[in-house]
Amino acid sequence: MSEPSPDQVMDELIAREPIFHRPEFGTARADFERMTDPSFFEIGASGHVYSRSHVLDVLEQRHRSPVVEDLDASDFHVVRLANDVYLLTYTLHQAERMTRRTTLWKRGDGTWRALFHQGTVVAPGA
């Protein structure tokens, strides 16, 4: 399989972000399991580290009563770190809250899986 072009990688990853907020990739626990590597973990905006199992539990609970959110993602950048491993960064606006987001993605067998995700709250005006 040939290496995807940088534009192709960017387009494919943008389509998956903000991670866990794209219903077209599924909203069930099994869907979130497929989109995350078994080693996945997250650092939340609070600074707490969350295991994959904790994140899956929260997502499962959240999607029992979904809430429509006004999300605006922008300023996407992607960097290839290793063969089939890419770092995607972007800015997410959620109502009055702005965060800088980072997701580490790995492509294998034509499938993207998140290895890591972090969201950092940005002070107004920053």
Side-chain angles (χ1 to χ4, degrees):
M1 180 182 273
S2 65
E3 185 73 23
S5 73
D7 287 342
Q8 180 183 355
V9 169
M10 178 73 91
D11 290 345
E12 289 178 14
L13 294 180
I14 287 173
R16 287 165 172 70
E17 296 285 358
I19 190 171
F20 309 131
H21 293 274
R22 295 293 198 167
E24 60 270 29
F25 290 102
T27 59
R29 185 182 187 99
D31 300 318
F32 298 125
E33 287 173 347
R34 277 191 298 279
M35 71 174 72
T36 57
D37 188 81
S39 67
F40 176 86
F41 71 102
E42 176 176 323
I43 299 175
S46 65
H48 288 100
V49 177
Y50 300 104
S51 68
R52 179 181 188 235
S53 63
H54 176 81
V55 171
L56 294 175
D57 290 346
V58 169
L59 290 168
E60 188 173 41
Q61 183 71 22
R62 180 188 301 162
H63 285 283
R64 286 186 184 141
S65 301
V67 174
V68 175
E69 296 179 273
D70 184 22
L71 304 174
D72 180 34
S74 61
D75 302 323
F76 288 94
H77 300 279
V78 67
V79 176
R80 182 175 180 253
L81 299 178
N83 192 27
D84 293 328
V85 177
Y86 296 85
L87 177 69
L88 182 74
T89 61
Y90 60 99
T91 302
L92 183 65
H93 295 270
Q94 296 168 279
E96 300 299 317
R97 179 177 157 175
M98 183 171 97
T99 53
R100 303 257 193 251
R101 302 283 177 118
T102 300
T103 309
L104 188 59
W105 289 97
K106 182 172 184 171
R107 183 183 175 140
D109 299 325
T111 302
W112 288 103
R113 286 203 169 82
L115 301 170
F116 168 80
H117 180 73
Q118 180 172 359
T120 303
V121 176
V122 178

